[in-house]
């Protein structure tokens, strides 16, 4: 079975695993301890922080380590809420295609009196900067927009939006779980808050980061976040708890490797995409989302007259794929992303996500995949 669910997670790169193991066994100090073991761990963490911050053109003290993008999203969204309440700015703009790690914290804020406006991108799956800016109000605290959609792979115009929002008092949060490392130039734009996850680029699960960037127009102040957890004071008191040094070092190593090999990765990802689409040409499908603005390793297909759940069963020994986000697929419901794009009901219910890390999908047999799809009878 070929693994085609890299948008859910990737296998840890062996080179990364070696680094993680080293910091679990040979160097096991607590970065908060004041003896030499702790000092070595602390220095290593700061080197990792410096490198990771540089990948998004941020300063080291603008990056805090978290357990992943979900926690980063929660700190960014819920941590900004007290400031919004004090300042009377309770309007938030987001999209209807965000990951649940953004939608659910925003639903919580709606219960606290925030007005959360959900914009639908239309069939392209891509919002325009104009659509966001025309909804801006004096009391708009925040725009939260994902970098790359986890179901369609469509890239949102976050860099352009960041530049437009610089002249306003509205903050921009970007969930970059799927885009970090893949479209690096976008994240060097003046985005106020960036959520990063490690396990999409070959790092271990359980580690990520939140970038809290200063704004020159706001006297070089960071977004006024307040902690949502307490105890210990680590990471500028925004993310208390013992730093997971092995995971942090694994994240930094994975980011270095991915950056060094990104050009080859992109070519291999595009080649596999072309091979996949060519091999499936004998089946009837539609591609969901704007293919002019898309990452090379994610594609969402709706197969005509074939139920997506039946297709998953038929393909279980051929490829590992998904009907949507791994966080919402335990009990199958039609994709909220595809429905928000206004797709026909059948297409929205039958979207199948193929996503790959090229080095982990070298054994893909497209002909066998096409034969397995062709065997299915249309449902009525």
């Amino acid at each position: 079975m070929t693994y085609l669910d890299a948008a859910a997670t990737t296998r840890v790169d062996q080179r990364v695993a070696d680094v993680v193991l080293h910091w679990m066994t040979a160097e096991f100090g607590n970065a908060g301890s004041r003896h030499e073991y702790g000092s070595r761990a602390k220095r290593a963490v700061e080197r990792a922080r410096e490198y990771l911050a540089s990948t998004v053109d941020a300063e080291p003290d603008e990056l805090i380590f978290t357990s992943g993008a979900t926690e980063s999203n929660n700190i960014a969204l819920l941590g900004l809420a007290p400031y919004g309440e004090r300042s009377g700015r309770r309007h938030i703009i987001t999209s209807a295609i965000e990951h649940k790690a953004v939608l659910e914290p925003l639903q919580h804020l709606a219960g606290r009196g925030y007005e959360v406006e959900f914009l639908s991108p239309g069939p392209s799956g891509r919002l325009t900067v104009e659509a966001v800016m025309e909804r801006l109000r004096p009391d708009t605290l925040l725009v939260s927009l994902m970098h790359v959609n986890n179901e369609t792979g469509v890239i949102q115009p976050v860099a352009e939006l960041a530049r437009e929002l610089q002249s306003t008092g509205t903050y921009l949060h970007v969930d970059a779980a799927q885009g970090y490392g893949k479209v690096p130039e976008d994240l060097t734009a003046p985005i106020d808050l960036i959520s990063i996850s490690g396990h999409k680029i070959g790092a271990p699960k359980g580690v990520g980061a939140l970038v809290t960037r200063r704004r020159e127009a706001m006297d070089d102040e960071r977004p006024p976040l307040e902690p949502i957890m307490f105890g210990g004071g680590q990471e500028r008191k925004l993310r208390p708890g013992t730093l997971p040094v092995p995971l942090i070092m694994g994240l930094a190593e994975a980011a270095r490797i991915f950056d060094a090999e990104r050009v080859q990765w992109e070519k291999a990802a595009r080649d596999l995409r072309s091979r996949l689409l060519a091999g499936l040409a004998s089946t009837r499908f539609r591609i969901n989302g704007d293919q002019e603005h898309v990452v090379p390793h994610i594609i969402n297909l709706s197969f005509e007259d074939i139920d997506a759940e039946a297709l998953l069963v038929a393909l279980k020994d051929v490829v590992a794929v998904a009907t949507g986000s791994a966080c919402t697929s335990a009990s199958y419901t039609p994709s909220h992303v595809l429905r928000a794009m206004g797709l026909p009901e059948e297409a929205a219910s039958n979207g199948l996500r193929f996503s790959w890390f090229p080095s982990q999908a070298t054994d893909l047999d497209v002909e066998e995949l096409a034969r397995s799809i062709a065997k299915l009878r249309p449902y009525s």
Side-chain angles (χ1 to χ4, degrees):
M1 181 173 60
T2 301
Y3 187 73
L4 296 181
D5 199 18
T9 195
T10 60
R11 183 175 63 226
V12 174
D13 188 293
Q14 185 58 54
R15 294 165 290 181
V16 174
D18 291 342
V19 168
V20 172
L21 185 60
H22 172 80
W23 286 95
M24 282 184 168
T25 56
E27 292 282 1
F28 54 86
N30 185 328
S33 298
R34 297 179 64 180
H35 46 60
E36 183 57 26
Y37 288 94
S39 296
R40 288 201 297 267
K42 182 178 180 179
R43 288 194 295 269
V45 166
E46 293 315 307
R47 288 195 301 271
R49 191 190 309 275
E50 183 176 357
Y51 174 73
L52 291 164
S54 74
T55 65
V56 294
D57 199 23
E59 295 298 321
D61 67 350
E62 294 175 328
L63 183 143
I64 66 169
F65 291 108
T66 68
S67 64
T70 294
E71 184 181 15
S72 296
N73 291 339
N74 275 264
I75 294 172
L77 300 173
L78 303 182
L80 197 58
Y83 171 75
E85 291 159 3
R86 290 194 304 271
S87 62
R89 298 167 62 194
R90 292 174 176 260
H91 180 235
I92 296 173
I93 300 171
T94 189
S95 81
I97 62 169
E98 298 299 308
H99 191 277
K100 295 294 186 181
V102 165
L103 294 178
E104 292 187 6
L106 290 180
Q107 289 168 359
H108 174 78
L109 290 180
R112 287 170 53 175
Y114 275 81
E115 181 184 348
V116 183
E117 192 167 357
F118 298 92
L119 306 184
S120 296
S124 71
R126 191 172 196 262
L127 283 174
T128 65
V129 172
E130 292 74 21
V132 176
M133 295 302 292
E134 70 183 15
R135 311 298 287 187
L136 220 61
R137 307 185 329 206
D139 65 335
T140 303
L141 172 67
L142 177 74
V143 174
S144 183
L145 189 64
M146 68 191 341
H147 184 200
V148 172
N149 185 266
N150 55 294
E151 294 192 28
T152 64
V154 172
I155 304 168
Q156 302 298 328
V158 295
E160 184 183 350
L161 182 59
R163 289 187 282 270
E164 289 291 323
L165 289 173
Q166 280 293 289
S167 60
T168 75
T170 298
Y171 294 102
L172 174 62
H173 166 249
V174 170
D175 177 358
Q178 296 291 345
Y180 176 71
K182 288 28 177 276
V183 194
E185 60 277 6
D186 281 357
L187 301 182
T188 62
I191 300 167
D192 301 295
L193 296 157
I194 304 173
S195 298
I196 294 169
S197 185
H199 70 106
K200 314 295 186 180
I201 58 167
K205 299 171 187 65
V207 66
L210 175 65
V211 174
T212 62
R213 201 190 306 268
R214 297 181 184 88
R215 259 206 216 184
E216 290 183 11
M218 295 181 176
D219 299 322
D220 280 335
E221 291 291 328
R222 298 185 185 90
L225 300 180
E226 294 188 16
I228 60 174
M229 298 187 298
F230 302 88
Q234 295 91 340
E235 298 302 274
R236 299 203 333 269
K237 298 185 179 181
L238 286 177
R239 206 280 180 173
T242 301
L243 288 172
V245 178
L247 298 182
I248 289 169
M249 300 309 292
L251 173 60
E253 184 68 12
R256 287 191 189 95
I257 291 170
F258 196 89
D259 183 57
E261 300 177 358
R262 183 167 52 86
V263 173
Q264 302 96 303
W265 181 90
E266 285 183 356
K267 182 182 184 306
R270 293 188 189 283
D271 288 347
L272 194 150
R273 186 188 195 90
S274 298
R275 187 157 65 90
L276 178 65
L277 291 175
L280 295 179
S282 60
T283 67
R284 292 183 296 178
F285 64 83
R286 63 174 288 163
I287 303 177
N288 300 316
D290 181 356
Q291 297 304 289
E292 295 298 315
H293 301 90
V294 69
V295 287
H297 69 295
I298 300 176
I299 192 165
N300 193 292
L301 306 177
S302 292
F303 290 89
E304 188 175 335
D305 295 330
I306 298 178
D307 178 69
E309 287 294 282
L311 191 53
L312 280 182
V313 173
L315 298 179
K316 66 183 178 65
D317 296 323
V318 182
V319 292
V321 293
T323 53
S325 166
C327 298
T328 58
S329 60
S331 58
Y332 178 69
T333 56
S335 163
H336 78 278
V337 171
L338 300 184
R339 294 185 71 166
M341 290 164 57
L343 268 60
E345 187 67 25
E346 181 181 318
S349 298
N350 287 346
L352 205 63
R353 180 185 70 187
F354 297 79
S355 56
W356 51 90
F357 217 71
S359 62
Q360 299 173 16
T362 55
D363 58 344
L364 176 62
D365 187 337
V366 180
E367 289 73 23
E368 184 182 4
L369 175 60
R371 285 193 299 270
S372 299
I373 294 171
K375 288 177 184 176
L376 283 181
R377 290 182 176 180
Y379 71 99
S380 58

